[in-house]
Every structure is written in structure tokens, then in C-alpha cells.
Amino acid sequence: MKAVVFSEQGSTEVLQYTDVPKPTLNANEVLVKVEACAVNYLDLHARRNRPEIAEKFERGETPHILGSDIAGTIAEIGDTARGVVVGDRVVLAPCIPCGVCSDCHGGAENLCDTQELIGFQTNGGYAEYVKAPAQNAIQLPEALSFVNAAAMPIAYLTAWHMLMTRAQLRPGEDILILGVGGGVGSAGLQIAKLIGARVFATASSDAKLARAGEMGADATINYKDIDFSEAVLDATDGRGVDVVLEHVGAATWDQSIASLAKNGRLVSCGVTTGNMGTLNIRKLYQKQLTVMGSALGTVTELRTLVHLAGREKLVPIIDRTLPLHRAGEAHLLLENRQNFGKVVLIKA
Ligand SMILES: [Zn+2]
């Protein structure tokens, strides 16, 4: 089968469109003919320097195939695989949990210590075919296209788990969403509007903020020009927001905390600018703040999201599609932050 592979880390030059053997199935697995595979920042980090990939190469496991957000058609079924049949249109839940630990049994498989991410620990969807456990395959409603489905798993699952399960955002509340031009930010905006929150959104360009406004953001803030916490406090008569969706890390931490109202909740899923932040403990207790983490989400949550997208309650933002062999170009678009929404690879 055709695939985009790499056997050493580096620039986009290491990506090669070539022939590799089709995956062979274990009994509990299904083979998916890939129709669409979205590109994530993690793909870029994996290609460049993530140690997990370097260790895989040191063990002699080459080449690697990226791609965690996959939609396609079931092509083959393992002997004990259940729940789907050949020809079903599916999207794949991106994580493969162990299925036997206490977190997995408790329905919180996103906390499983030994889970593997498709396209990171295993070979992924930059290929004609990919394999996955049958329970990862979620059937698609007719109205949901392969491209829109592939744009959903990581971004929407992350945003949904943050806002609905962790922060428990409620109708009428105020939320501040950082980096609204990114996958998690734009998904968070749609989810927050769906449940009736008032959304303040930040981005670094006026063009991205204009798009956020078209998507329903109630107020937009260009964080390049100003301290966004001051803008938030001004816009809320000094009150602040009930929830902050934080995924930037060190660079925005102080401003994010300062943007919170009494009883405010900050929920974080990422640290693209650094891991360490400080916290004024007196303000934490006086304002009864909550700071919480969030890590991807569960298969059950992804099923809910697919259902909502099938009814067009959530509509993924697609920047563009590119044929699989142009995966390097897709990486450069993300690297240079030229995209608004997802870049999705499709079969040539
Ligand atoms: Zn587990």
C-alpha cells in the first residue's frame, strides 16, 4: 500500500511517499481503508524530535507512519472483532487503552497509564490502510463526511472533555478561550456556543479574530497588543470569566488566572510555551478558584460528538484538504500557522 513514512527525524524532507506492506490484523482488530486523516501539531513534533519516536527508531522499528485523526471504511475484520462490518463508514477513537486497569474499568480510559495513541506509538493514518482495535471504530452518521469526521477526534474530544466533563460549563456563563484559531480553540468556541455560554476569544491576528466573530464569539481580543486579562476585566465590569480554556502554558498563565471571576475554573490541556507557572495561593482561596487539568477524552464522549456533528450541531472548521502525498506541505502550513481550522489529508 502507499503511505507517507519516515525513518529518521528532521524537517519535512524526511517524509517519503512510498510503498509499504499492508498491516496484518490481530484477532480483535479491524483494517480501515483511510479516506481522510487530519494533521495535528503532535505529528510535527513526532517528525522533528519527540523522544518516543527516536526510541522507536533505536529499537529498529522503522519506518513510522503518522496520523491520529482517521476516518475511512472498514475493509477487513479480525476473527474476534465485533461491532462493525466490512463497508461501514467509521471514525477511529485515537487512543488504544489497555482495557484492564482500574481507570479503564472506571470509564476513564483517557487516564490509562499504558494507553497508546494511534499514529504515535503505533502506525497511523498517513496511509492507504490502518489497523486498530474494533472498539476504536465509531460508525458515522450519513450526514457526516469523512473529511469532517477526521477533523474531530483530537481537537473536539479535548475541548469537550475540558468544558463539559471537567469545567462543567453552564448556559449563561462567561468563558475565555485562548488561541481560538487552533483546533482545540475553535472546537471549544463551537461547544461553548452550543450550550449557551458567552465567549471571549483571543488570537494573535485580526483575521483569525474576524473568523471567530463569524463563528459566534461574543468578544475578541488580539493578545499581541494588550494584556488580555485587563481586556476581559474591562468587558465584564471587573468581574472576570467563569471558565478559562487554557492550552498555551507559561506565557499566558498569569493572565489566565487573573481573568477568572470568583468561583472561576481554569482548565488546562497543554503547555506549548512551557510547563511552569506560579499561583498566588491567597487569591486562590479568597476567590474560591479551581485549577484543573484535562487529558484528551473517552470513546463515549467521542460517540456523543459524532452524534452532534451528524446533526450539524457541531461543524468542524476545515482549512483545506490535500492529497496524502503532499503531507509535507500540510506540515509546513501548520508550522507557519497559516491555517484556520484543520488541514486534512485525503487519498489521492
Ligand atoms: Zn488501562
Side-chain angles (χ1 to χ4, degrees), residues 24-303:
T24 47
L25 292 189
N26 293 312
N28 65 330
E29 291 175 331
V30 293
L31 188 70
V32 175
K33 186 169 195 293
V34 180
E35 299 287 344
C37 181
V39 178
N40 285 291
Y41 280 100
L42 179 64
D43 303 359
L44 278 59
H45 298 309
R47 188 203 75 224
R48 283 198 293 245
N49 52 23
R50 280 293 291 249
E52 295 90 338
I53 302 294
E55 285 159 18
K56 198 179 166 198
F57 289 165
E58 277 164 25
R59 291 195 300 270
E61 295 169 27
T62 57
H64 182 72
I65 304 174
L66 296 166
S68 308
D69 277 342
I70 301 158
T73 312
I74 299 287
E76 276 176 45
I77 293 189
D79 291 340
T80 62
R82 296 286 177 271
V84 286
V85 297
V86 169
D88 276 353
R89 300 168 70 249
V90 298
V91 63
L92 291 180
C95 277
I96 304 173
C98 78
V100 295
C101 73
S102 58
D103 292 315
C104 284
H105 278 302
E109 74 271 11
N110 59 318
L111 294 175
C112 176
D113 285 329
T114 56
Q115 64 183 314
E116 295 187 321
L117 183 68
I118 297 172
F120 193 59
Q121 280 93 356
T122 72
N123 280 334
Y126 287 24
E128 269 184 279
Y129 294 94
V130 65
K131 69 172 186 170
Q135 65 262 30
N136 282 62
I138 298 170
Q139 293 195 32
L140 294 181
E142 231 167 80
L144 185 54
S145 70
F146 288 120
V147 169
N148 280 9
M152 294 196 74
I154 288 186
Y156 278 81
L157 200 46
T158 300
W160 183 271
H161 192 71
M162 291 176 89
L163 298 190
M164 304 303 289
T165 307
R166 299 290 290 146
Q168 302 195 353
L169 181 67
R170 291 186 291 269
E173 286 195 316
D174 288 343
I175 178 172
L176 171 65
I177 295 178
L178 302 192
V180 74
V184 173
S186 58
L189 168 56
Q190 286 189 358
I191 293 165
K193 291 312 295 179
L194 180 66
I195 66 161
R198 180 167 70 153
V199 178
F200 297 79
T202 76
S204 61
S205 87
D206 290 337
K208 287 183 177 179
L209 291 172
R211 287 290 300 275
E214 287 164 21
M215 288 168 59
D218 297 280
T220 58
I221 303 162
N222 190 325
Y223 65 78
K224 275 207 160 152
D225 307 334
I226 47 167
D227 178 330
F228 65 76
S229 65
E230 284 175 14
V232 166
L233 292 172
D234 279 349
T236 55
D237 295 328
R239 179 181 174 271
V241 293
D242 303 292
V243 174
V244 175
L245 187 162
E246 163 64 66
H247 56 93
V248 182
T252 52
W253 184 257
D254 289 346
Q255 291 183 58
S256 290
I257 296 280
S259 301
L260 288 169
K262 291 173 191 166
N263 288 316
R265 294 95 76 197
L266 181 150
V267 59
S268 165
C269 73
V271 285
T272 46
T273 60
N275 296 348
M276 304 307 286
T278 56
L279 188 63
N280 182 323
I281 302 165
R282 185 181 301 276
K283 281 192 179 156
L284 174 80
Y285 69 72
Q286 282 180 339
K287 291 175 77 176
Q288 296 199 150
L289 304 180
T290 305
V291 174
M292 60 185 90
S294 187
L296 208 60
T298 66
V299 177
T300 305
E301 289 171 319
L302 186 54
R303 286 182 187 279

